[in-house]
Amino acid sequence: MRLNELFSIRCIDCGQIYGINEIVYICNRCSGLLEVYLDVNELNSIVNLDLWRKRPLNVWRYRELIPIFDDKKIVSMNEGGTRLLRCYRLAETIGVKNLYVKCEGDNPTGSFKDRGMTVGVSKALELDFKATLCASTGNTAASLSAYSARAGLICYVLIPAGKVALGKLSQAMIYGAKVLAVKSNFDLALKTAIQLCLEERRIYLLNSINPFRVEGQKTAALELHDQLGLNPDNVVIPVGNAGNISAYWKGFSELRILGLAEKMPRMHGVQAKNANPLVKAYRSDRQDLEPIENPETIATAIRIGNPISWKKALKAVSESKGSMIDVSDEEILDAQKLIARREGIFVEPASAASIAGLRRLVDDGVIDRDELTVCIATGHGLKDPEIVLKLCEMPIEVDPDLESLRRILVS
Ligand code: F0G
């Protein structure tokens, strides 16, 4: 059996099946979300941990689970293989024994988005597109711009005007994307982007509604399992448009079906207080998501009121018996400082939400002090230098003599 025969695209609502190389972003029949379906059982005889472990630790280690069929079309910058750091001092402060942070800021453009883009942009080449497009709160734009540049593709990014952190904006600009600052928030920009790509069939949409993005991002779960030698008890992860939490759950689920892991982790999603539609849906047990019109948070990456992958995210949380929780901007900024000062790990505010979320989950007794927990640090702190200027004491001006310096030293 050829690898491409194991994959199809399916609607998560009505089950409609599409060919793996069909260009679809939403279900033609019911407008539902799509996902790549992989007949994992068929892979049982081919895939095993020893095979993977002979390869370098990166996204493409898990080649058999990734629906790209022409190796020559792969656009890679060696993404994945990010550090998983045991954090003793942070753990002590939070009151847990066994805490790790997965540093997704190690990726080529400084966020987890690169895992999805190596697959998504490879697919763009495989499908013979000449241009890519996304709407973004910043990191998706930075990543798509870089991978499109490497692939020789034209790239358009739609960002909410005035609401993208400086580091991310400068990345998209230097990589040569056409940066369009849309006079709206992210949600409306995404809606417009989807409409545009449904009509302009020559431009490939690479938001996480595109199921190939998720296929790349799911490798983070496989990697975690590889690094720990088992699945953790809890994964705590910031949630915006809700693609990433869904991707982790897909990765863990495929591992289990392959018979390579048994115990599954609980997935805990963290949103910012005034951008928390999924938390509200989770608490109310509603089947429907009520979008938040004007989401607001200092963590601009997750300033999202109408997460496109909400259904997949709620499924991940309920199947894993996890939770959704929200944290205030103050808690996020405290956590950003805490992880930097206790562990030397510099993350952007959205990523610090996972640390703030863990604190709360421990205080609330949802996560037990003896459990093994991994917080996902989704993006690098240098993405958003302006926040630091607001958060920290400014450099102290000093004369260049010993007397002046000594006066400042801590006794
Ligand atoms: N953390 C960071 C640093 C992000 O950039 C994002 C999303 C998330 C967490 C949330 O991930 O959307 O899959 O739930 N950033 C997107 C963007 C929306 O456009 O860069 P999610």
Side-chain angles (χ1 to χ4, degrees):
M1 180 169 274
R2 300 198 9 229
L3 198 57
N4 59 358
E5 290 166 17
L6 301 180
F7 292 92
S8 56
I9 296 175
R10 295 199 181 176
C11 172
I12 66 163
D13 283 332
C14 74
Q16 177 79 355
I17 298 174
Y18 301 88
I20 191 65
N21 279 339
E22 260 183 79
I23 299 157
V24 274
Y25 306 116
I26 47 177
C27 179
N28 293 335
R29 203 162 73 174
C30 76
S31 302
L33 271 182
L34 303 176
E35 74 176 357
V36 170
Y37 175 79
L38 165 59
D39 194 345
V40 181
N41 291 319
E42 288 288 334
L43 278 182
N44 269 339
S45 54
I46 307 173
V47 165
N48 58 65
L49 294 177
D50 288 340
L51 169 78
W52 284 342
R53 284 176 186 159
K54 286 193 190 107
R55 302 172 184 162
L57 185 68
N58 63 35
V59 165
W60 295 95
R61 169 182 276 202
Y62 312 102
R63 180 74 188 89
E64 291 78 11
L65 304 189
I66 301 177
I68 298 293
F69 309 112
D70 182 352
D71 281 351
K72 293 191 292 298
K73 296 288 163 70
I74 292 177
V75 185
S76 173
M77 292 198 262
N78 200 11
E79 47 292 309
T82 58
R83 288 167 301 149
L84 180 69
L85 296 179
R86 178 103 190 243
C87 291
Y88 294 97
R89 279 163 48 78
L90 184 63
E92 194 189 349
T93 309
I94 294 179
V96 288
K97 282 195 193 144
N98 213 348
L99 173 62
Y100 289 80
V101 170
K102 178 104 174 117
C103 301
E104 287 291 281
D106 290 355
N107 278 299
T109 75
S111 84
F112 71 94
K113 305 286 178 180
D114 297 338
R115 293 181 184 273
M117 287 310 170
T118 181
V119 177
V121 172
S122 300
K123 190 48 96 181
L125 285 188
E126 219 173 47
L127 296 173
D128 215 18
F129 277 94
K130 302 287 180 266
T132 59
L133 182 144
C134 71
S136 175
T137 56
N139 280 323
T140 300
S143 182
L144 181 60
S145 306
Y147 280 81
S148 296
R150 194 162 166 86
L153 298 173
I154 297 165
C155 177
Y156 303 95
V157 302
L158 277 57
I159 54 168
K163 292 292 183 181
V164 167
L166 193 60
K168 306 173 191 182
L169 181 62
S170 59
Q171 286 180 290
M173 288 163 66
I174 196 72
Y175 294 134
K178 300 253 178 297
V179 182
L180 310 169
V182 185
K183 295 174 205 154
S184 81
N185 61 24
F186 167 81
D187 298 298
L188 197 51
L190 176 59
K191 197 171 163 208
T192 318
I194 295 171
Q195 277 167 352
L196 183 69
C197 290
L198 285 173
E199 286 185 18
E200 292 284 331
R201 305 293 293 174
R202 65 209 162 84
I203 303 177
Y204 196 46
L205 179 67
L206 271 167
N207 278 100
S208 57
I209 192 174
N210 181 324
F212 293 99
R213 279 272 312 277
V214 172
E215 292 308 290
Q217 288 174 210
K218 77 183 179 188
T219 60
L222 306 169
E223 206 174 286
L224 252 185
H225 178 269
D226 255 347
Q227 288 172 311
L228 287 169
L230 78 175
N231 280 340
D233 297 310
N234 301 287
V235 174
V236 187
I237 182 166
V239 173
N241 215 18
N244 209 28
I245 190 169
S246 319
Y248 271 79
W249 188 240
K250 191 167 194 285
F252 287 124
S253 303
E254 288 180 3
L255 259 187
R256 183 179 53 185
I257 302 170
L258 279 167
L260 302 178
E262 276 177 18
K263 188 196 68 173
M264 295 287 271
R266 291 190 288 159
M267 303 296 303
H268 304 278
V270 188
Q271 292 197 298
K273 264 236 149 64
N274 295 319
N276 62 350
L278 268 163
V279 177
K280 287 187 168 158
Y282 167 76
R283 280 191 194 136
S284 72
D285 252 359
R286 250 198 313 266
Q287 291 304 298
D288 251 351
L289 184 98
E290 217 170 284
I292 290 178
E293 286 284 321
N294 297 305
E296 212 38 87
T297 167
I298 194 105
T300 51
I302 52 172
R303 187 172 165 273
I304 294 176
N306 192 10
I308 200 98
S309 296
W310 65 271
K311 257 191 196 172
K312 290 184 183 176
L314 286 183
K315 184 167 163 264
V317 168
S318 78
E319 283 183 3
S320 74
K321 302 188 174 55
S323 66
M324 282 295 312
I325 188 170
D326 53 7
V327 290
S328 67
D329 280 1
E330 206 185 342
E331 288 173 283
I332 289 174
L333 294 178
D334 277 354
Q336 188 186 17
K337 253 191 186 172
L338 186 71
I339 181 175
R341 292 178 181 201
R342 295 246 111 192
E343 298 291 349
I345 302 173
F346 184 19
V347 302
E348 67 168 282
S351 309
S354 64
I355 309 298
L358 172 63
R359 281 187 111 168
R360 208 52 115 51
L361 291 164
V362 173
D363 288 349
D364 293 351
V366 178
I367 289 183
D368 193 78
R369 99 177 236 99
D370 293 321
E371 289 173 347
L372 169 54
T373 297
V374 177
C375 285
I376 310 300
T378 45
H380 201 286
L382 288 171
K383 293 273 191 176
D384 193 354
E386 284 167 312
I387 204 77
V388 180
L389 300 183
K390 291 186 196 146
L391 194 59
C392 298
E393 193 187 320
M394 291 304 278
I396 306 161
E397 277 198 27
V398 63
D399 290 320
D401 61 78
L402 292 189
E403 194 48 36
S404 308
L405 287 173
R406 275 208 188 99
R407 244 179 275 136
I408 295 159
L409 297 183
V410 182
S411 54

